Amino acid sequence: MAYFMVVLLDDNRMGKLRGTGLEEHIKYMFGGELRLLEVEVTEELKDKILAEFETARVDSRGAITDVPVAFMRELFNQVVEKKSLGPEVVEGVLAKINEIKEMAAKESEYLPPPDIE
Amino acid sequence: MSGLLIERPLPHGGRLVERVIEDKRVARKIWKSCNAVYEIKPTLHYETGVPVRNVYREIMSICYGFFSPVEGSMKQAEVERVLKERRLLNEWIFPYPLVFDISKDDLNKLGVEVGDRLGLTLKGKPFAILDIEEIYEIDPEELAYKTFGDPETNPEVVQQKFDKKHPGWVIYRSHQPYVLAGKYTIINPPKFKPPFDRFWFPPRKSREEFEKRGWRTVINHQTRNVPHVGHEFLMKCAAFTGDVEPCPGILVNAVIGVKRRGDYPDEAIVEAHEAVNKYGYIKPERHLVSIVLWDMRYGNPLESLLHGIIRQNMGCTHHMFGRDHAAVGEYYDKFATQILWTKGIPSFGFPAPPTDVPYGLKIRPQNMREFSYCPTCKEMAYSETCGHKREKLSGSFLRGMVAEGVQPPSIIMRPEVYRVVVKWWKQFGYPFCNEKYVINKEKELEVDLEDL
């Protein structure tokens, strides 16, 4: 099975992506209502993510999900920094694992809810 | 024509177990006859100390008949038979050992022996009694391994040795080493707190409700999740099964108990399912949300067997089973539940499906695959029908979207369902179960008790 991680794109993130050359890789889902990028994850990196984060799981599509929000934010930063969707993106994230775990510890207590009624 | 109609099945074991005393006068008299009193404690993770189970949920589910014909904490011979053949001593099939376990210290402090009546308090109030018929010792680690099987003994479906990453294995591994076996009786029925109170339909009540609604056949949807539109379509389409006509009733039965980190809170799960009928995605005349108390063991085929028992006891005629049913990780084959219900798993004691063995089940399995969005059809499409490339929908993917603060498109999560998620997110400061939620929930529980 091929593994990957999904980076969701809102307008703010779309602005940061401009000029990276990755725009052509943007995928549209659900009738165009959702824009995203898929980052490649090797078997070895998948095992490392699952070992490092208790909540992480692999869904039926092969997508690695349920990692901390801090991980997902850094994943996007690395995509922009490396201008790539290859395994080096996740390697870049895992290089900052201690920092991410520190932030994840805080976010496991509280995540600000969206402001909707 | 009448021969084609499916009748509501009898409870598993032939009669509904009901061990609940409502009369306070009688209850007080029974309470006074107890030889000792024990405050029920949550089972704590054997390494981390975080709650993983509370035996009160098993007592509730046994005494209200969800687990009929089980009547109490199992004796040693029964546990051994369940582990070997998945059968009770009275022959009826049953997947899991259920025991009242205590520590050596507690056993010594209580000083109880066989023949004694133990009073059980919950949140400091009288709750139930246990008439002790046997006291024995268990090895929790051995119990944990034997409960779920292993690749050597159960090669048909077990792919990987169980370990501490499996929450069900952890529950049994965290049991205390002494078991008090015997029948339970609830003598002070707990009161469910909102929102759970309006979803409490124990088997007698659910059967009465089905009668009242004219639901001759009912299909069950097992859930431990907030519904996305894929779930909604599964329910809508599964209900086309039945006999000479589609099932008039769809029962959503949510498992309430200790959840995994990252699952949605129980409060959000039940209200989100309710939103599906409240806002007309499935009309309320055809859709009922209910709960059962159980700390999930995530035993895929074994859990499906328990689900079949619970829902047959509730009066359902059909049960939906999907891929990776009640599973976590890759311990079992993804289709282990389908293997059990279509041809059996001999090493688990089923040379044939559980509906085709003596003392088996009557509820009928409805194996379902999945719905996902088809950009060509521009609608949610069934995997076995649609011939296009579809966009798979997973609960985990949705959770990621929710956590990042992105409202899912309405084609995959109804806005009313999302609003329920946010409502409870605001309440708990977090959209999913985290350690704080679990610890607090296990302290407060879903119920309160009055004085006796």
Side-chain angles (χ1 to χ4, degrees):
Chain A
M1 181 184 267
Y3 301 101
F4 61 98
M5 294 192 80
V6 169
V7 178
L8 298 171
L9 301 171
D10 56 14
D11 291 343
N12 180 34
R13 284 183 170 183
M14 285 297 286
K16 290 180 182 167
L17 267 187
R18 218 160 284 138
T20 59
L22 297 174
E23 292 97 321
E24 64 187 70
H25 297 288
I26 291 174
K27 293 187 176 178
Y28 295 88
M29 287 183 77
F30 310 119
E33 290 194 56
L34 198 65
R35 290 166 295 187
L36 54 91
L37 289 169
E38 287 180 359
V39 176
E40 191 187 333
V41 180
T42 61
E43 178 90 28
E44 190 188 340
L45 289 169
K46 180 259 302 179
D47 291 341
K48 196 159 183 197
I49 295 168
L50 295 183
E52 293 288 353
F53 299 100
E54 194 196 357
T55 56
R57 46 185 115 177
V58 180
D59 77 9
S60 55
R61 306 166 302 153
I64 297 163
T65 64
D66 296 79
V67 294
V69 175
F71 188 110
M72 297 307 292
R73 288 198 190 111
E74 188 54 32
L75 187 68
F76 175 73
N77 293 341
Q78 289 292 321
V79 165
V80 174
E81 194 182 309
K82 299 209 159 51
K83 298 183 174 58
S84 165
L85 298 173
E88 62 274 18
V89 170
V90 171
E91 280 167 10
V93 178
L94 290 173
K96 296 186 172 182
I97 197 148
N98 291 336
E99 202 180 308
I100 289 169
K101 281 192 167 176
E102 207 173 296
M103 284 189 280
K106 287 178 198 153
E107 79 184 34
S108 69
E109 279 286 302
Y110 178 78
L111 274 177
D115 192 19
I116 66 160
E117 282 308 308
Chain B
M1 172 78 171
S2 63
L4 300 174
L5 302 180
I6 295 174
E7 286 182 10
R8 180 162 301 128
L10 286 173
H12 189 44
R15 69 172 185 91
L16 209 52
V17 168
E18 289 182 291
R19 303 189 61 83
V20 181
I21 290 172
E22 303 277 356
D23 185 329
K24 285 206 173 186
R25 211 163 39 105
V26 176
R28 279 194 288 267
K29 204 172 160 191
I30 293 174
W31 188 250
K32 277 185 189 160
S33 68
C34 292
N35 304 79
V37 172
Y38 178 82
E39 170 72 10
I40 290 178
K41 302 169 186 173
T43 302
L44 304 179
H45 190 297
Y46 71 105
E47 282 184 344
T48 66
V50 173
V52 293
R53 163 209 184 219
N54 192 314
V55 73
Y56 114 85
R57 296 195 177 95
E58 287 159 36
I59 297 173
M60 287 285 280
S61 289
I62 289 170
C63 291
Y64 278 95
F66 289 93
F67 295 167
S68 298
V70 175
E71 294 189 287
S73 166
M74 294 175 183
K75 292 182 184 174
Q76 190 166 20
E78 189 147 65
V79 167
E80 282 167 10
R81 184 143 197 232
V82 165
L83 293 176
K84 200 173 162 205
E85 300 171 68
R86 308 292 158 173
R87 282 182 188 276
L88 304 170
L89 289 177
N90 61 14
E91 302 298 331
W92 294 93
I93 61 174
F94 201 84
Y96 291 129
L98 296 176
V99 294
F100 190 88
D101 54 307
I102 61 169
S103 68
K104 190 172 186 177
D105 272 0
D106 284 340
L107 181 62
N108 289 340
K109 272 184 217 158
L110 285 172
V112 288
E113 45 192 59
V114 171
D116 282 349
R117 173 169 283 176
L118 180 63
L120 303 173
T121 56
L122 184 67
K123 297 171 94 172
K125 303 274 175 66
F127 164 52
I129 56 160
L130 167 58
D131 286 310
I132 303 170
E133 295 172 39
E134 190 180 311
I135 300 174
Y136 61 94
E137 197 175 351
I138 54 168
D139 175 348
E141 189 170 63
E142 189 189 356
L143 180 67
Y145 281 123
K146 285 189 171 172
T147 295
F148 296 100
D150 63 61
E152 288 75 39
T153 319
N154 314 96
E156 308 100 314
V157 290
V158 182
Q159 303 179 148
Q160 188 184 321
K161 190 174 160 68
F162 281 77
D163 55 26
K164 63 182 179 186
K165 286 204 90 172
H166 188 276
W169 184 90
V170 167
I171 287 178
Y172 284 104
R173 175 63 187 81
S174 304
H175 272 40
Q176 295 295 332
Y178 287 89
V179 170
L180 305 181
K183 290 177 183 169
Y184 299 122
T185 309
I186 291 176
I187 48 103
N188 188 19
K191 307 283 178 237
F192 278 87
K193 294 189 272 193
F196 302 108
D197 50 352
R198 63 181 188 274
F199 303 110
W200 178 238
F201 289 88
R204 176 168 298 280
K205 194 176 161 193
S206 64
R207 285 170 172 262
E208 286 167 3
E209 184 68 20
F210 296 170
E211 278 299 317
K212 201 166 82 187
R213 291 173 173 236
W215 287 2
R216 193 171 50 74
T217 56
V218 184
I219 190 158
N220 182 82
H221 175 67
Q222 146 68 25
T223 189
R224 58 179 168 108
N225 210 338
V226 155
H228 55 58
V229 179
H231 295 129
E232 184 190 307
F233 272 76
L234 275 175
M235 287 187 263
K236 283 172 171 168
C237 292
F240 282 116
T241 193
D243 43 36
V244 295
E245 58 182 11
C247 288
I250 303 165
L251 180 75
V252 176
N253 192 226
V255 177
I256 303 300
V258 177
K259 290 285 188 304
R260 296 178 67 209
R261 308 301 176 271
D263 283 349
Y264 288 96
D266 285 329
E267 292 83 350
I269 293 170
V270 289
E271 285 200 341
H273 274 280
E274 183 185 42
V276 170
N277 70 49
K278 201 168 164 184
Y279 296 97
Y281 296 104
I282 301 177
K283 57 183 179 182
E285 295 81 2
R286 213 173 163 207
H287 185 259
L288 177 69
V289 183
S290 61
I291 56 172
V292 58
L293 297 178
W294 172 242
D295 300 309
M296 273 188 64
R297 308 306 202 247
Y298 299 92
N300 193 329
L302 300 171
E303 202 87 9
S304 79
L305 197 59
L306 182 72
H307 291 163
I309 291 168
I310 293 169
R311 281 66 192 242
Q312 179 174 321
N313 286 330
M314 293 180 80
C316 295
T317 51
H318 297 77
H319 199 300
M320 296 164 58
F321 293 116
R323 192 179 70 157
D324 264 339
H325 182 84
V328 54
E330 293 172 0
Y331 297 93
Y332 289 107
D333 186 299
K334 285 185 188 314
F335 293 101
T337 288
Q338 283 68 32
I339 293 170
L340 173 68
W341 288 83
T342 54
K343 62 177 188 180
I345 303 174
S347 68
F348 273 138
F350 295 95
T355 45
D356 294 343
V357 295
Y359 299 95
L361 285 167
K362 298 287 177 213
I363 194 166
R364 294 161 189 245
Q366 179 65 42
N367 289 320
M368 301 292 290
R369 295 298 282 266
E370 58 208 17
F371 277 87
S372 45
Y373 184 77
C374 173
T376 311
C377 302
K378 297 197 188 317
E379 64 182 13
M380 294 301 289
Y382 187 52
S383 57
E384 307 309 293
T385 311
C386 175
H388 304 123
K389 190 171 188 301
R390 281 160 291 104
E391 292 164 355
K392 281 195 176 180
L393 193 56
S394 84
S396 305
F397 176 53
L398 263 174
R399 275 193 296 276
M401 201 182 300
V402 168
E404 286 192 69
V406 177
Q407 175 163 358
S410 58
I411 188 69
I412 57 171
M413 183 183 270
R414 303 301 187 190
E416 296 89 344
V417 168
Y418 183 66
R419 279 205 288 275
V420 169
V421 170
V422 174
K423 171 189 163 183
W424 290 102
W425 185 345
K426 287 177 178 173
Q427 173 89 11
F428 299 124
Y430 204 72
F432 312 117
C433 297
N434 56 11
E435 198 157 301
K436 188 174 154 197
Y437 172 84
V438 171
I439 290 171
N440 197 44
K441 173 91 185 293
E442 291 313 294
K443 203 169 111 195
E444 299 293 327
L445 301 177
E446 305 82 8
V447 295
D448 279 323
L449 291 97
E450 294 173 348
D451 290 325
L452 191 60

